[in-house]
Amino acid sequence: MVKLNKIYTRTGDAGTTGLVDGSRVSKACPRMQAIGDVDEANSAIGVAAVALGDHPLGRALERIQNDLFDLGADIATPGEDFAPSEMTLRIIGSQVERLEGEIDALTAQMAPLTSFILPGGSPGAAALHLARAITRRAERAVVAVDDPINPLALAYVNRLSDFLFVAARAVNQNGASDVLWRPGATRG
């Protein structure tokens, strides 16, 4: 476990931050951008979880938030050895597979899409759609890291945005309350 006796350290006052291996990088480097975007996605998922209240998807969102801390630690660990160890936290295949299973289970309860949908329908679904869009940005940031990244970390963040899309539809009465896109409807 992490033990924080003091929140500020002053070590980042010059615009750098430490990685898991002890190296220091600019807070503006692509790796730190990715970590920040993953953190923002995690916060948006927290907002969605609060919006859902006691909805059964709340537990899945809590697990995902924990996974996103794992993902941040993975991205903060430079190198080309992506095997987890006692000292190295990495996203693993079972985390990606769990998301895939949850996506499949939710999708099985819904009619197929016949149109693109607008992000909304209900407050909980809208919050999930916002989290999905932020997660897509986090995915782009992870792809932009100019050093090797764990392929399973990238797969996880890609699958997560799919999960959030399907979860939003599930919250919208399994798609019955989705707001459908009507191409060209507002042209006048």
Side-chain angles (χ1 to χ4, degrees), residues 7-135:
I7 299 304
Y8 63 90
T9 63
R10 298 187 175 117
T11 58
D13 290 354
T16 65
T17 192
L19 297 177
V20 172
D21 67 355
S23 63
R24 297 202 62 84
V25 296
S26 168
K27 290 182 178 186
C29 78
R31 185 179 296 273
M32 293 313 300
Q33 180 68 49
I35 292 168
D37 286 353
V38 167
D39 184 40
E40 186 178 354
N42 199 344
S43 296
I45 290 168
V47 170
V50 170
L52 293 179
D54 292 333
H55 193 282
L57 282 171
R59 287 193 176 190
L61 295 179
E62 185 177 319
R63 278 193 317 273
I64 287 165
Q65 286 190 285
N66 195 77
D67 285 350
L68 289 177
F69 266 80
D70 292 355
L71 178 63
D74 190 329
I75 298 167
T77 306
E80 295 186 34
D81 179 3
F82 302 120
S85 71
E86 193 173 308
M87 298 302 294
T88 307
L89 190 56
R90 297 291 192 186
I91 293 294
I92 60 173
S94 62
Q95 289 170 294
V96 177
E97 292 162 5
R98 186 191 72 239
L99 277 178
E100 290 173 349
E102 291 172 341
I103 291 166
D104 292 343
L106 289 171
T107 302
Q109 301 172 33
M110 299 175 204
L113 283 171
T114 58
S115 172
F116 287 111
I117 59 174
L118 303 180
S122 68
L128 287 163
H129 279 297
L130 180 59
R132 173 192 51 78
I134 293 169
T135 298

